[in-house]
Amino acid sequence: MALSAFDDRSKLPDEDDLYAVLGDAGELWTRLVDHVASEFPPLDESWVFSGKEWGWALRLKQKKRAVVYLTPCEDYFVAGFALGEKAVQAAHAAHLPDDVLAMIDTSRKYAEGRAVRVEVRTKHDLENVKQIAAVKMAN
């Protein structure tokens, strides 16, 4: 089963399906997309299918640089980042909450950076994701 609630490669998620799956987290999704669009223009939004293990995710990209990948799940979503070591160091310097720093520090390392995935279920989670996005884009 895919991480995403949308795992059928042949069916691009539409807005009705998205908000039905997200439930109350739909408001958090909208707030995050709006925030990223206002902070990092010009923003390109595109759905990407990353294989049967991951399913569909919405990629928010500024020019050629991905800001965040949003993966819809039942009643929540996952915000995924690739953070380079410079951004990891900046996260520590920015004094992000200890739980966020622990998540970053224990994330798996890849050539493109650490794969940081944050479940967004609450406004607190949303604020953490906004902070990570700011650190990523500044570094």
Side-chain angles (χ1 to χ4, degrees):
M1 178 156 200
L3 171 64
S4 176
F6 302 108
D7 59 0
D8 182 354
R9 180 183 202 116
S10 67
K11 186 174 185 312
L12 185 69
D14 66 26
E15 194 169 301
D16 291 338
D17 293 336
L18 174 66
Y19 288 101
V21 163
L22 291 174
D24 291 342
E27 176 189 346
L28 299 173
W29 176 284
T30 299
R31 288 174 56 187
L32 181 57
V33 171
D34 290 347
H35 173 79
V36 172
S38 69
E39 291 294 312
F40 310 111
L43 191 71
D44 175 60
E45 299 177 27
S46 58
W47 285 97
V48 294
F49 189 84
S50 299
K52 62 183 179 180
E53 182 180 347
W54 301 104
W56 286 99
L58 182 66
R59 178 179 58 205
L60 303 180
K61 194 166 128 178
Q62 180 193 51
K63 298 181 183 175
K64 293 184 178 187
R65 189 171 184 202
V67 179
V68 63
Y69 289 81
L70 304 180
T71 304
C73 303
E74 283 291 331
D75 298 321
Y76 71 100
F77 63 94
V78 175
F81 298 90
L83 296 183
E85 287 307 310
K86 186 177 173 187
V88 171
Q89 296 307 316
H92 281 274
H95 304 292
L96 294 179
D98 289 342
D99 58 332
V100 174
L101 292 174
M103 183 184 334
I104 291 170
D105 290 341
T106 59
S107 294
R108 189 169 177 187
K109 292 182 183 180
Y110 294 93
E112 59 274 4
R114 293 177 192 246
V116 177
R117 293 181 183 88
V118 181
E119 289 186 2
V120 180
R121 298 176 184 267
T122 67
K123 291 177 183 176
H124 175 74
D125 299 334
L126 177 65
E127 293 307 313
N128 288 340
V129 168
K130 288 178 181 179
Q131 289 180 306
I132 294 169
V135 166
K136 175 192 169 85
M137 296 307 287
N139 294 282

